[in-house]
Each structure stands twice: as C-alpha cells, then as structure tokens.
Amino acid sequence: MSPPPSPQFSMKQEIENLLEQAVADLRGRGELSDAAVDAAAGARVQRTRDARHGDFASNLALALAKPAAANPRDLAAKLVDALPASDAVEKVDIAGPGFINFHIKRDAWLRVIDAIDSAGESYGRSDRGAGRRALVEFVSANPTGPLHVGHGRGAAYGDAVARILSAAGFDARREYYINDGGRQMDILALSVWLRYLQGGDGGLGKTVARHFPVNAYQGGYVRDLAAAAREQHGDAFMPGGANDAGDAADAADATTVDTTVDTLFAALPDDSEARIDALIARCKSALGDGYRRLFAHACDALVGQIRDDLLQFGVAFDTWFSERALLDGGDIERAVAALDARGHIYEQDGATWFRASAFGDEKDRAVRRADGSHTYFASDIAYHFNKAGRGFDLLLNVFGADHHGYAGRVLAAFEAFGFERERLQTRLVQFATLWRGNKKVQMSTRGGQFVTLRALCEEVGVDAARFFYVSRKNDQHMDFDLALARAQSADNPVYYIQYAHARICSVFRREMESGAADAGAPAALTEPGEFELLQTLSRFPEVVEAAAAAFEPHLVAYYLRDLARDFHAYYNAHPFLSAPPGVRRARLQLIGAVRQVIANGLALLGVSAPKKM
RNA sequence: GCGCCCGUAGUUCAAUCGGAUAGAGCAACGGCCUUCUAAGCCGUAGGUUACAGGUUCGAAUCCUGUCGGGCGCGCCA
C-alpha cells in the first residue's frame, strides 16, 4: 500500500548536513570538545520568519557557546569558515547574538518542482518510521448509543494521526476498543427490554412507560432497537416466553405477563442507581438465557451503527477489539498473573491490588474486588498487555479529556509489565463545547439529548467537519457552534483550500481544450510570488515529519492554508495560459506541483480534493 | 482539598522539543471581475501573550506563586 520511500528534495536537510560537516571538521582539529558537541545536540536548523535573516537559520553557535565556553559569534565565524561549499547556498552570514543565516540561491528552489513531479502522491512521505508498527486506539466509545459530535473530534484526530504516521513510514493500524463488558451495557440491555415490553401486546405500555427509569437510556434509538428485537425474535423476550417461545402467544399468557410486569416494578429501592441495578437483576432472571441474546442484539446493532457512522465519516478501523472477548479468553487472569509474577500484586481487605504507586500513579488500584469480580481497570490492564503482546512498537491511546485520570494508571501497569514507557503514548482530546448560537448545548447519552455525528455530517458535510476538528491542537479546548458551522459552511477554511485545488484543475482542463503543446523549464520562473510558492512547497515534507513526531495533524491543516493563500495570491496576480510561451509552461508546472501537494495534504486529513467546485 | 489540561487581537485559533519585529480565519472599514472559477485577491485597523516574580544571550513557551476556565480523583463503568 505505502509506496517505497524515495530520496527527496530537502533543502533543510542539506543545510543540516553542511553544519554537521563543519562541526566534524572543528572537532577533528580539536577546536570543539566531544562534550560540547553532545551538549549542543538540541540545536536546530529552522526556517526564518524574516527574509532579512535569509532562508534558514541555525542556533548551533548559541547552543555550543556555553558548553564550549566561547563567544557565540566567534564560534559562528569558525563554523562558517569550516562549512563545505554548496551549490545551493548563495551566502552565509552571522547575525544577532550568533545565528548563522543561510541564503539560498534562487535557482536551487526550482528543484522542488521536479522533486514533486517525480514523487507524485508520495511527495511528503518519508521512512522516518522505518516500518515500525504503530497501533492507534481511538473513539472506543461505549456502544450504548450512536456516536455524537463529542466523539467526532477523537475520530477525526485519531484517523488523521494514523494517516500521518503511515506517511511518515510507520505501519499504522487503527483499533476500536469495544467496552461491552460493563454495567452501562446492562443498563442499555435493560432499556431495550423495557421498550420492548412497552411495545408488546398485553396492555403493558402504560405500566412500563410509567416505570421507565429516568437514568436508563431515553433516546429514540432504544425504541428502534426494541422494535428490531421484536421483528427478529418475536415474543422470545417476553417474561415467561423465554423458555417456550414457540407457543407463548396464548391469550392466557397476557395475565402471566401482566403479573410479572407488576412484580417487576414492585418494591424497588429508592436510590435511582440501586433501582436500576435491581431491575437489571430482574430482567436477567426473567429472561434466563434470553438475556444474553437480547444483550448481543443491542450491542451488535449499535456497534454496527457506530461502524457505519465512522465509515461515513471516512474512518475505517482495522480491528474492533471486544472487552468481552478478553473476559472470555482468560486474558485478565493472565495479565494479573504476569504482574503478580513480577511482585506488583498484593491482597488487602479481601481485594486484589496492583501497586500502581510504585510506577508514578497517585495510588494503588484494585484489580479484583472482595466478591471476586474484576474491576474495569483489570480489563484495561489486560487489554494493554494484549496490545503490547501483539508486537507493536508504538501504542498510541487517544482519550477524551474525561479519561485523563486513566493515562497514569494504564502507563503504570504497562511499565510494571516490563515494557518501555515510551512505547505507550497517550494524547488527550479536549472536549468541544457545543453551542447553538449563544446557547450552550448540553449533551447526555442516557438522557437521549445529543447531536449525532451522522447528523453533523449531513448538516455541514464530512470534509468541513473533519477539517474543523483537526484545525485545533488536540489539547486545546474548542468551541463548536452548530449554527455557525451550518450557516458559514461556505466560509469554512477547508473550502478555501479545496477551492485552490479545483481552480488548478480547472486551468488544466482549459489547457487540454486548447491543445497547445509548448516547451519550458522551471528556470523561466522569476516572480517573487513564484519563489514564495516554491519555498512553501518545499516545506511540506518537514511539516509531515513534525506532525508525525508530535501527533499533531493541525500542523498539516495550517500548512495547507498557507499554501492555498500563496496560491490564490499568485493566481490573482499572474496569468498562466496566456503567459509568454516559455513562462507559460513553467507556471503550469508550478501550479501542477501545488495541486499535487494540496491533494497529498488533504489526504492526510481525510479530506477530499475536488476537481470542480 | 489533591492531581492533570488550558488561559494569546472584539471573536475562533496558530506560533517549528526556548529564537530575532507573536501570525491567520471570522467580524469591521476601503478598493479589484471585457483575462485561466470573486468559495478569490489587494489594503487599513486590531496585542502589556490572565497577573506577579524568577531562570538566560534570548521566554507566549521553562520554574514558583496568584487569579480564572475545563476535567478527574470508588473494591463505579
């Protein structure tokens, strides 16, 4: 799938190489100590903000100054003297406290056009990851309801990170962890069952409706699940009908059922959470084996719906990992045993504990309760033990901000297993505060009050929604105004970028129609705007690398806006098709390169690059 | 109370593991369609980077404290 990495044009890399040789030279002559060079390892070559500082600047001399106990400007002068000759460098000067500024020959920038042309879709890709295997786990919402807009940010972010890691040479996979083992899922099954009873024969509707718990799942989708259950399983989930579903539809059964429903709601605890737990217990005993089938019906249906919603959103997971599979497969026992073997497990007050505090967590955490049941954390430990055991070099967990308390304990367990800390990375995605105009939108899955991801896609479109989500740094709080997103969808920055792509495609369509065949070379480019574009184009591989290294897709989004801005300005200032013969071809080559890079960049964000708008 | 994340222009957000004069979109104001898509371009205006100290050649970025916002602190999931 991923094209082989090709050696790519990188002016920055060239400058870095020159400096490296200069340092080696000075070190060889004894003018720099090894210790000083090591201490200055953090020095970097970076693009300048101000053209007067040249095209690239290095703070190497500043970083070396202290460990080498020398004046930074003197050091800079020595480094400059030791620089090997390069046909790309116009001149080098020393500025300010000791920056080394590189001015690139204009002609050298022209090379980027050929580099993009020959690399095509793989321009921007690198082998930085060297084929290392990465697993990105994201979304992982409980299948207790459809995905809502709060999940969208994690979905857009995680998917973009996976795409960017792939581009950076990692073998990246996407995984969704299905939390299908907990109490929330029992509440869902109960909710579906009650709606099922409510919709059945026997006059149960009013009774059930009156007793439907406020803290059960209220959403309309629960009724849909109940209706589907009835369609697929008939009366199988009626109390008393579970064991002899075949002939349960007798008139006599109505009274049986009615009585059961009365007792179902009789003498319940006052506390709402205790009440719902009691109802779950009654549901289980009423259905017997049927409970498992009802549970599976609800869970499978919702997971399927989530999968469809995500596919529509452009996110395809490689694996769907079920918590129940962990439970059934004995993974929890194995994981706890592994920790125990390393001496990190102890018993206290009848419960079993993991010594998380020994690995930087705030306190020790229970993995097994006094009653013998395992905690939620235990399955999480087992899950990460399993993931690490599958041979991934990098595990990236994308958590919602409300799970941040988790990162510490999961990392503690990971380390306790003997895995290197760095293999497990966690990135938090902050909540998006939803607004409709100036009114805050409250969201609750149990209460059924939420805007679904699907509805968002239909309202503002997948491209606009995805771009918006990844246009903010993941740990930054963000406001999402639904009214604005809808009203201003045409002003969304994503269209600005897509429009640049469409405009270029349009130019080439016109060119095809004209049938003109002329020659030309990039050397005919002389306008300042053309060199700005060339420099921006040459930045793309650096942006992708930086985005991959820090898991920051927003860097790509901002880069694309820069590139589109440079292009639109150029478009308005210069003709392409009606330019003089040699220049004409060169300009078309330039904008062809722009089109390629926009398409490559948008693909990293999972956003389409339309040929027409 | 303790812990984590955050605080940048009217507003929504950037700022290359500490770099030189903190930048964009939207909103506001003034211009540009007889030429390749005006979903565009050009220009103007907008800042004590919450506040106070500290570290150094250099701080929005690192440290300490204060204020403000979000989230989390169970043998719940």
Side-chain angles (χ1 to χ4, degrees):
Chain A
M1 175 68 194
S2 51
S6 52
Q8 296 198 341
F9 169 89
S10 172
M11 194 68 79
K12 185 181 169 191
Q13 185 66 53
E14 201 161 322
I15 303 296
E16 282 168 350
N17 292 344
L18 293 176
L19 280 168
E20 214 168 285
Q21 291 177 49
V23 168
D25 187 19
L26 291 185
R27 201 198 310 225
R29 298 207 308 257
E31 302 215 30
L32 278 176
S33 70
D34 291 356
V37 173
D38 289 347
R44 296 188 316 287
V45 169
Q46 48 190 183
R47 302 254 173 181
T48 57
R49 255 178 225 168
D50 188 329
R52 283 174 305 180
H53 300 140
D55 299 299
F56 291 91
S58 170
N59 61 350
L60 180 59
L62 292 164
L64 279 168
K66 184 171 269 186
N71 178 299
R73 288 194 67 110
D74 292 346
L75 260 178
K78 282 184 188 173
L79 285 165
V80 170
D81 282 344
L83 282 173
S86 163
D87 59 359
V89 177
E90 175 84 41
K91 65 167 177 166
V92 181
D93 48 35
I94 298 162
F99 288 105
I100 302 173
N101 292 336
F102 294 83
H103 300 255
I104 303 302
K105 284 182 188 166
R106 297 187 66 166
D107 287 356
W109 291 114
L110 298 170
R111 291 190 242 149
V112 73
I113 293 183
D114 281 340
I116 294 169
D117 191 46
S118 61
E121 285 180 11
S122 66
Y123 180 70
R125 304 186 75 98
S126 71
D127 60 355
R128 175 198 167 88
R132 274 172 295 168
R133 302 184 60 213
L135 184 69
V136 185
E137 184 221 322
F138 58 112
V139 188
S140 299
N142 289 355
T144 53
L147 295 179
H148 53 68
V149 293
H151 299 119
R153 190 175 186 183
Y157 172 77
D159 186 58
V161 167
R163 289 168 188 257
I164 289 167
L165 286 177
S166 296
F170 285 85
D171 176 8
R173 303 296 167 89
R174 297 162 179 78
E175 181 156 295
Y176 190 116
Y177 180 57
I178 307 169
N179 274 214
D180 53 6
R183 173 170 172 264
Q184 296 303 326
M185 290 301 293
D186 284 325
I187 296 176
L188 174 77
L190 170 71
S191 306
V192 172
W193 187 55
L194 293 177
R195 292 305 188 198
Y196 170 92
L197 293 180
Q198 190 178 343
D201 297 329
L204 310 178
K206 283 181 182 168
T207 310
V208 176
R210 195 167 61 245
H211 287 95
F212 194 87
V214 289
N215 51 349
Y217 290 98
Q218 307 280 342
Y221 63 91
V222 175
R223 294 170 192 270
D224 296 340
L225 290 172
R230 183 162 294 284
E231 204 166 290
Q232 290 167 31
H233 302 277
D235 285 341
F237 301 130
M238 294 303 278
N243 297 325
D244 51 354
D247 52 358
D250 295 353
D253 273 286
T255 49
T256 316
V257 167
D258 222 11
T259 316
T260 313
V261 167
D262 279 344
T263 56
L264 177 64
F265 295 112
L268 285 169
D270 286 339
D271 176 72
S272 63
E273 295 298 324
R275 189 181 311 145
I276 208 164
D277 285 336
L279 281 170
I280 288 169
R282 292 178 189 186
C283 170
K284 284 180 177 173
S285 76
L287 290 181
D289 288 347
Y291 180 78
R292 204 170 33 78
R293 286 197 296 278
L294 175 68
F295 185 102
H297 165 79
C299 183
D300 293 350
L302 281 175
V303 170
Q305 190 178 333
I306 287 170
R307 188 192 316 244
D308 289 347
D309 287 355
L310 286 168
L311 281 174
Q312 188 198 344
F313 197 55
V315 179
F317 281 90
D318 297 290
T319 43
W320 293 75
F321 196 97
S322 159
E323 181 187 0
R324 295 196 71 80
L326 274 180
L327 306 178
D328 299 344
D331 283 57
I332 291 180
E333 285 70 22
R334 274 196 294 280
V336 172
L339 287 177
D340 198 12
R342 291 173 162 267
H344 306 312
I345 294 289
Y346 64 92
E347 305 280 330
Q348 187 178 311
D349 302 331
T352 305
W353 298 77
F354 161 55
R355 210 179 300 279
S357 59
F359 298 92
D361 195 12
E362 296 165 32
K363 50 181 128 177
D364 293 348
R365 308 287 177 178
V367 294
R368 193 180 308 279
R369 303 185 189 96
D371 67 6
S373 64
H374 69 84
T375 62
Y376 176 81
F377 178 49
S379 44
D380 237 33
I381 290 177
Y383 175 48
H384 284 84
F385 188 55
N386 179 297
K387 279 205 274 194
R390 282 187 267 155
F392 290 102
D393 302 293
L394 170 68
L395 297 176
L396 178 63
N397 289 348
V398 177
F399 287 166
D402 56 335
H403 279 63
H404 76 258
Y406 250 175
R409 72 188 73 169
V410 169
L411 186 59
F414 193 76
E415 215 179 349
F417 281 124
F419 301 125
E420 300 154 45
R421 235 179 142 77
E422 290 68 31
R423 269 179 73 189
L424 178 63
Q425 296 284 326
T426 300
R427 285 299 178 277
L428 299 177
V429 176
Q430 286 292 337
F431 281 164
T433 309
L434 269 190
W435 299 82
R436 202 179 282 281
N438 52 13
K439 278 171 80 177
K440 200 168 179 174
V441 181
Q442 299 295 340
M443 297 223 298
S444 152
T445 304
R446 276 206 204 178
Q449 295 288 317
F450 52 81
V451 180
T452 63
L453 183 60
R454 180 170 286 267
L456 178 74
C457 291
E458 282 159 8
E459 276 184 30
V460 310
V462 172
D463 285 344
R466 288 190 65 136
F467 191 85
F468 183 81
Y469 279 127
V470 298
S471 292
R472 276 101 176 110
K473 210 171 160 187
N474 60 290
D475 59 5
Q476 185 68 243
H477 297 274
M478 72 190 262
D479 284 347
F480 199 131
D481 186 338
L482 293 164
L484 206 65
R486 209 176 324 148
Q488 298 194 335
S489 60
D491 290 332
N492 188 304
V494 74
Y495 296 108
Y496 182 78
I497 297 162
Q498 290 181 320
Y499 183 50
H501 185 268
R503 268 184 152 178
I504 297 170
C505 290
S506 178
V507 171
F508 281 110
R509 275 196 300 274
R510 292 294 192 103
E511 198 230 353
M512 290 280 278
E513 290 163 12
S514 75
D518 54 343
L525 299 175
T526 54
E527 297 290 335
E530 290 164 344
F531 285 87
E532 269 178 48
L533 264 177
L534 290 169
Q535 289 177 31
T536 304
L537 288 170
S538 75
R539 262 173 57 207
F540 185 59
E542 296 161 29
V543 170
V544 178
E545 275 211 21
F551 311 123
E552 291 185 346
H554 76 280
L555 295 176
V556 175
Y558 277 88
Y559 167 80
L560 287 173
R561 195 143 70 184
D562 285 348
L563 179 58
R565 177 166 24 80
D566 289 350
F567 167 74
H568 284 306
Y570 180 54
Y571 180 98
N572 275 272
H574 304 286
F576 308 129
L577 295 176
S578 55
V583 178
R584 180 187 131 101
R585 179 52 47 194
R587 288 183 176 171
L588 288 174
Q589 287 175 340
L590 174 60
I591 66 171
V594 172
R595 176 178 63 175
Q596 182 71 62
V597 174
I598 290 178
N600 292 2
L602 286 175
L604 293 179
L605 304 179
V607 175
S608 70
K611 293 182 167 61
K612 260 184 193 169
M613 284 177 74

